[in-house]
């Protein structure tokens, strides 16, 4: 068992490489089977031939080796048998076995026999298996290994595994004369000695094998080279696929293939080429000029010239031909041509290109029509986009209400409705006989124009010469149009949101193809899209007109009469939407004047309405005769409250209606003292032009815009000389998309510096507007210029009044004397009554200091001031009351009266017109 296992282990190892188990064996087998697949046919053929030669050589070598081994084994059996029998039958063997020292006698004899016969061992042992001889003396006297009883009947030769290896062993019995067995003789030779004979024959065998293998490889190599040239290195799968492709090209391909040799003869033509070119039967081998082809196509095929998608006529077909030479790609001189029928493809391509161009035109129309919110401009953009890509001429007719922003009535454009006006026209030529822009027209129902307005769809007149209703409407104009060459018309109604705004007419001229049904649907689509832009412009025009009307109604119609300032103003609304800029001039008591400039964020109706609310609020607060900072604080509080109310109404959904961010500047000028007090809420600085021509921007304390309410407002006080010019403006004057604030202020300063020193406010307004304002500004622009005056000393009279009732009469007498000096004796009585009441109240209820001032200008103003902040109240006394009629009397005698507060108290003032009012006291109840 150990010997067998040893031989099994040796069998799994070849040349020192482990071949592994069964799984590895199958993997190697798969690799060997798949190895040739990636090679060419010639390579695979070479490998298979080489494998066959090797197998044949190996088989022959194996046969020779086996035969030599057979002969060697047979020789070993004969030699061992002869030695064993000869020793067993040699004389004196029995006596030697039965002697006292058998080994001494038999060992020399056995070794001599072993060496002379060339055996590995000759062992003599008794019938019990005890050795008497052995090549290894140490084993003498020990029992033999393995069975031996089988040899009692006679000599027996076996091949057994021994410690020496695989051994040929012959055992012969040593018999006594009576036939009993006295012992045995075993002669053996191992496999190493057997193969030694074979090994001595191997050089001859291997030499013959090498010669045979070399001859086989040489033949396989020659066959491989020959086959490689024939197959161009292709493998079997490629050869099979090439044959399949060749068959498909010949019979299944839907593109014609022609192969022409270098001599101009046809080598191959597939079925599709035969069909497309209508080739005669069996055309291969014939010159291409003899195949009945078009001469240009035949010349191309014979020349081998390289072309790509060159179109040639073949009968009624248009073929796209591609021609390439074959020689650069391994073929013989010649060319291969492919033919493709493009007759239907070109028609479809033309339709696809037309559809693409129409889609592009619709896209361009969406981008170019409606770039402005001007109705006329939008109509012209529609006419321009259609020429010349869709029509040679295009005209747009709109109703007059549409141009004004209003909705047109029903039946617009027809004989029973409002006429429409040609608003825009465009064409490839300018000398066309179509009605000019500005013409008004209406259309009968039978004409293409009338039908389109009635049906609401585009109407086609493919041949205007056959449109009898159209020709009869205006025969002279129609004949001129036809004579000019205009031959086709599409009329499409311009309608949006259920309103017919007008119509669009498309005309074709000269050699242009007449309009078709596809053009009608496209015209409908184009006009429908453009109608939205026209209607948007119409609605914007309406809203803009309404907002501008509202804004102008809210702006001052002029400046009030007053003597303190010479005034001039300019206002220009934004081009794209009315804003909330405003200005105001408000006369105040004591011949003072308030100047106001403001700006509301945003544009449109909301901005204009908000401007009106703020202007009204400023007017109302000015009646309280508040200082500028207090008045702006009240307006700021009002704006914040309005924003809160509107935010609550909107449910906090947005601030689209809020007005936070509006700005305002409020200034009060006193012509008596020349003092100007002003405050601002986020508004630009006012400019001041001194009488000597110097220009500066008044450094007003900054204030937040109205509605923000983060900081208190502050006032600035300055004294202006007579002839100073105060310039107030909104930010639209100095800022726009192309000019920032710093640049605008610099330009305004430069413009004011160039003004004449004694220039009037009107001249300054004109110069500033011409230099600073564009024709179509993006924001409203308001400008107010005021030139100051100062009262002459003889127009003002003042008195200090002691806090003593007795002083009332003295001051009253002095005032009457001043009126006499002014030539106002007729007003002495009423003025004396007014002053008597006011001075008495000041002495009785007020505190010192008490002053009286008379101002004379267009009216007479009486002012009584004291240090108390308590204001008198007008009440109506009963007939039984002894007092309470003083202020009532003042209110009846004066044209106006009121109270204003100062830093040191209050002023009660009255104003009297310098005209006599007869019967002034007739209606008084006293």
């Amino acid at each position: 068992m150990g010997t067998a296992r040893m031989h099994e282990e040796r069998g799994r190892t070849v040349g020192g490489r482990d071949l592994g188990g069964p799984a590895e064996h199958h993997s190697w087998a798969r690799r060997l089977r798949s190895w040739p697949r990636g090679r060419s046919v010639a390579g695979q053929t070479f490998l298979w031939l080489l494998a066959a030669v090797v197998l044949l050589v190996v088989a022959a070598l194996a046969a020779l080796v086996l035969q030599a081994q057979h002969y060697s084994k047979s020789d070993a059996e004969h030699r061992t048998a002869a030695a064993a029998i000869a020793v067993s039958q040699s004389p004196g063997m029995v006596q030697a076995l039965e002697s006292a020292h058998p080994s001494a006698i038999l060992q020399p004899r056995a070794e001599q026999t072993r060496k002379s016969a060339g055996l590995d061992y000759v062992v003599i042992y008794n019938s019990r298996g005890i050795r008497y001889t052995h090549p290894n003396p140490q084993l003498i006297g020990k029992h033999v290994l393995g069975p031996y009883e089988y040899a009692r009947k006679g000599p027996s030769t076996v091949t057994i595994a021994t410690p020496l290896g695989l051994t040929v062993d012959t055992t012969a019995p040593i018999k006594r004369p009576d036939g009993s067995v006295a012992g045995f003789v075993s002669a053996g030779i191992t496999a190493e000695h057997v193969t030694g004979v074979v090994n001595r024959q191997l050089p001859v065998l291997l030499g013959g094998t090498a010669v045979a293998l070399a001859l086989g490889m040489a033949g396989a190599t020659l066959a491989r080279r020959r086959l490689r040239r024939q197959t161009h290195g292709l493998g079997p799968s490629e050869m099979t696929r090439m044959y399949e492709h060749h068959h498909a090209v010949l019979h299944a391909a839907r593109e014609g293939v022609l192969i022409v040799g270098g001599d101009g003869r046809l080598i191959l033509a597939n079925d599709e080429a035969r069909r497309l070119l209508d080739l005669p039967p069996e055309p291969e081998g014939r010159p291409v000029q003899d195949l009945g082809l078009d001469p240009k196509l035949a010349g191309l095929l014979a020349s081998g010239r390289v072309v790509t998608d060159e179109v040639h006529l073949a009968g009624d077909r248009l073929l796209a031909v591609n021609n390439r030479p074959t020689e650069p790609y391994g073929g013989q001189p010649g060319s291969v041509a492919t033919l493709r029928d493009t007759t239907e493809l070109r028609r479809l391509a033309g339709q696809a290109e037309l559809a693409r161009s129409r889609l592009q035109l619709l896209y361009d129309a969406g981008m170019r029509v409606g770039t402005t919110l001007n109705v006329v401009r939008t109509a012209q953009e529609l006419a321009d986009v259609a020429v010349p890509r869709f029509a040679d001429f295009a005209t747009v007719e709109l109703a007059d209400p549409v141009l004004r922003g209003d909705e047109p009535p029903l039946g617009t454009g027809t004989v029973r409705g409002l006429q429409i006006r040609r608003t825009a026209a465009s064409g490839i030529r300018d000398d066309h006989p179509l009605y000019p822009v500005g013409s008004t027209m209406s259309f009968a129902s039978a004409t293409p124009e009338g039908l389109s307005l009635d049906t609401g769809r585009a109407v086609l007149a493919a041949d205007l010469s056959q449109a009898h209703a159209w020709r009869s409407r205006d025969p002279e104009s129609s004949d001129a149009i036809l004579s000019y060459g205009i031959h086709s018309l599409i009329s499409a109604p311009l309608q949006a949101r259920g309103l017919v705004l007008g119509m669009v007419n498309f005309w074709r001229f000269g050699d242009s193809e007449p309009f078709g049904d596809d053009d009608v649907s496209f015209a409908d689509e184009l006009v429908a899209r453009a109608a939205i832009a026209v209607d948007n412009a119409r609605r914007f025009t309406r809203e803009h007109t309404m907002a501008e009307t509202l804004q102008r109604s809210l702006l001052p119609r002029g400046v009030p009469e007053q003597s303190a300032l010479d005034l001039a103003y300019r206002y220009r609304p934004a081009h794209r939407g009315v804003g909330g800029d405003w200005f105001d001039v408000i006369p105040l008591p004591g011949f003072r004047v308030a100047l106001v400039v403001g700006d509301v964020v945003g544009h449109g109706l909301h901005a204009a309405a908000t401007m009106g609310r703020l202007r009204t609020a400023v007017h109302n607060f000015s009646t309280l005769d508040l200082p500028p900072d207090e008045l702006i604080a009240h307006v700021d509080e009002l704006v914040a409250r309005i924003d809160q109310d509107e935010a609550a109404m909107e449910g906090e959904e947005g601030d689209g209606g809020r007005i936070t961010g509006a700005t305002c500047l409020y200034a009060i000028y006193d012509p008596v003292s020349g003092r100007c007090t002003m405050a601002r809420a986020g508004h630009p600085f006012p400019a001041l032009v001194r009488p000597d021509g110097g220009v500066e921007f008044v450094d007003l304390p900054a204030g937040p815009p109205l509605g923000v309410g983060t900081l208190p407002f502050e006032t600035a006080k300055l004294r202006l000389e007579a002839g100073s010019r105060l310039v107030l403006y909104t930010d639209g004057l100095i800022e726009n998309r192309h000019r920032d604030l710093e640049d605008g202020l610099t330009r305004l300063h430069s413009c004011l510096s160039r003004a004449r020193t004694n220039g009037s406010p009107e001249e300054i307004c004109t110069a500033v507007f011409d230099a600073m304002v564009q024709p179509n500004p993006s924001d409203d622009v308001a400008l107010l210029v005021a030139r100051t005056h100062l009262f002459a000393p003889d127009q003002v009279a003042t008195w200090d009044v002691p806090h003593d009732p007795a002083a009332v009469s003295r001051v009253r007498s002095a005032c009457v004397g001043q009126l006499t000096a002014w030539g106002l004796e007729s007003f002495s009585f009423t003025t004396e009554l007014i002053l008597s009441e006011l001075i008495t109240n000041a002495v009785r209820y007020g505190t010192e200091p008490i002053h009286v001032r008379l101002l004379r200008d267009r009216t007479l103003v009486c002012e009584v001031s004291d240090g108390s902040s308590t204001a008198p109240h007008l009440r109506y006394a009963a007939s039984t009351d002894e007092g309470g009629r003083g202020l009532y009397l003042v209110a009846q005698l004066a044209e106006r009266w009121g109270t204003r507060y100062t830093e040191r108290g209050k002023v009660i003032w009255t104003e009297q017109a310098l005209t006599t009012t007869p019967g002034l006291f007739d209606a008084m109840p006293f």
Side-chain angles (χ1 to χ4, degrees), residues 563-564 669-675 720-723 788-792 795:
S563 304
Y669 174 67
D670 185 354
V672 177
S673 62
R675 177 180 296 179
L720 302 181
E721 303 175 45
T788 60
H789 293 286
L790 289 176
F791 274 21
Q795 292 181 275

Side-chain angles (χ1 to χ4, degrees), residues 24-272:
E24 289 81 355
H25 174 73
H26 291 301
S27 175
W28 276 92
R30 286 194 299 270
R31 294 175 187 175
L32 289 174
R33 287 196 299 269
S34 63
W35 179 48
R37 292 183 181 176
R39 298 181 175 272
S40 64
V41 172
Q44 292 190 35
T45 303
F46 170 75
L47 292 176
W48 287 118
L49 288 175
L50 180 61
V53 171
V54 171
L55 288 176
L56 289 174
V57 171
V58 170
L61 179 61
L64 291 175
V65 171
L66 291 175
Q67 186 177 7
Q69 289 179 347
H70 175 70
Y71 289 155
S72 298
K73 182 179 180 183
S74 178
D75 179 65
E77 290 176 351
H78 291 154
R79 289 167 59 189
T80 57
I85 293 172
V87 172
S88 67
Q89 294 179 0
S90 64
M93 284 299 296
V94 174
Q95 290 79 5
L97 286 172
E98 293 177 352
S99 66
H101 299 284
S103 296
I105 301 170
L106 297 176
Q107 177 69 10
R109 188 181 300 179
E111 284 299 305
Q112 182 181 1
T113 303
R114 180 182 69 81
K115 293 177 180 180
S116 62
L119 300 177
D120 288 320
Y121 63 87
V122 175
V123 180
I124 301 173
Y125 48 93
N126 62 19
S127 60
R128 295 188 304 275
I130 302 301
R131 297 188 187 98
Y132 291 151
T133 67
H134 197 279
N136 184 2
Q138 295 179 358
L139 297 179
I140 296 174
K142 296 183 178 180
H143 199 283
V144 297
L145 298 176
Y148 57 89
E149 294 294 337
Y150 59 86
R152 286 183 178 275
K153 295 181 179 180
S156 177
T157 301
V158 295
T159 301
I160 60 174
T162 67
L164 298 177
L166 194 63
T167 303
V168 178
D169 180 270
T170 300
T171 303
I174 302 173
K175 294 184 178 182
R176 297 183 181 93
D178 58 1
S180 61
V181 176
F184 298 93
V185 177
S186 293
I189 187 171
T190 61
E192 292 181 0
H193 288 84
V194 175
T195 56
V197 178
V198 177
N199 292 338
R200 288 191 294 272
Q201 298 176 353
L202 278 179
V204 178
L205 295 177
L206 291 177
T209 301
V211 172
L213 183 60
L215 292 175
M217 289 182 63
T221 301
L222 293 175
R224 174 174 176 259
R225 290 179 179 177
R226 177 66 177 175
L227 188 59
R228 187 178 183 85
R229 286 195 300 268
Q230 297 294 326
T231 62
H232 299 283
L234 296 177
S237 59
E238 286 85 355
M239 292 289 290
T240 302
R241 189 162 57 250
M242 185 176 67
Y243 174 77
E244 293 172 350
H245 291 174
H246 177 75
H247 190 273
V249 169
L250 286 178
H251 305 293
R254 302 306 300 167
E255 188 169 285
V257 178
L258 293 173
I259 299 179
V260 181
D263 56 355
R265 294 179 179 273
L266 182 65
I267 297 176
L268 181 142
N270 69 346
D271 295 346
E272 183 67 8

Side-chain angles (χ1 to χ4, degrees), residues 74 128 476 555 601 669 703 866 918:
S74 178
R128 295 188 304 275
E476 183 178 353
L555 288 172
V601 294
Y669 174 67
D866 66 81

Side-chain angles (χ1 to χ4, degrees), residues 307-479:
V307 297
T308 300
D309 287 339
E310 188 173 289
V311 179
H312 287 269
L313 185 65
D316 58 350
R317 297 186 179 94
L318 286 175
L319 302 181
V321 181
N322 293 276
N323 201 38
R324 295 291 185 274
T326 59
E327 190 171 9
Y329 306 99
Q332 297 298 322
S335 61
V336 59
T338 59
L339 313 173
R340 188 173 67 255
D341 190 354
T342 62
T343 307
E344 184 67 18
L345 181 62
R346 286 184 173 273
R347 186 181 68 82
L348 294 176
Q351 293 179 352
E353 178 61 25
L354 178 62
R356 189 201 64 80
S357 64
R358 292 291 171 82
L359 288 175
Q360 184 64 40
L361 179 55
L362 289 176
Y363 173 79
D364 292 342
M367 298 297 292
R368 293 174 53 186
V369 179
T371 58
T372 66
L373 291 174
N374 180 277
V375 176
V376 176
R377 179 59 185 166
T378 303
Q380 187 62 50
E381 290 171 344
L382 171 57
D384 291 340
V385 80
V387 177
R389 296 163 63 181
F390 178 64
D392 296 320
F393 298 96
T395 60
V396 181
E397 291 79 34
L398 299 175
D400 285 339
V402 174
L403 299 175
R404 298 191 300 267
D406 298 331
E407 295 184 358
L410 296 176
T412 294
T414 61
V415 292
R416 64 179 182 276
L418 184 68
Q419 287 189 325
I420 57 179
R421 184 181 302 276
R422 179 149 293 170
T423 307
S426 182
I428 59 175
R429 292 172 55 175
D430 297 331
D431 59 345
H432 59 79
L434 301 173
Y435 291 135
V437 173
S439 304
T440 57
M441 58 197 75
S442 59
F443 306 99
S445 299
T447 61
E449 299 94 330
L451 285 174
S452 69
L453 292 172
D454 287 338
T455 61
R457 301 297 301 273
V459 175
L460 168 65
D463 186 359
L464 285 175
S465 62
Q466 303 300 319
H468 303 293
W470 176 79
R471 298 189 64 178
S472 62
R473 182 179 64 86
D474 188 349
E476 183 178 353
S477 176
S478 302
D479 291 342

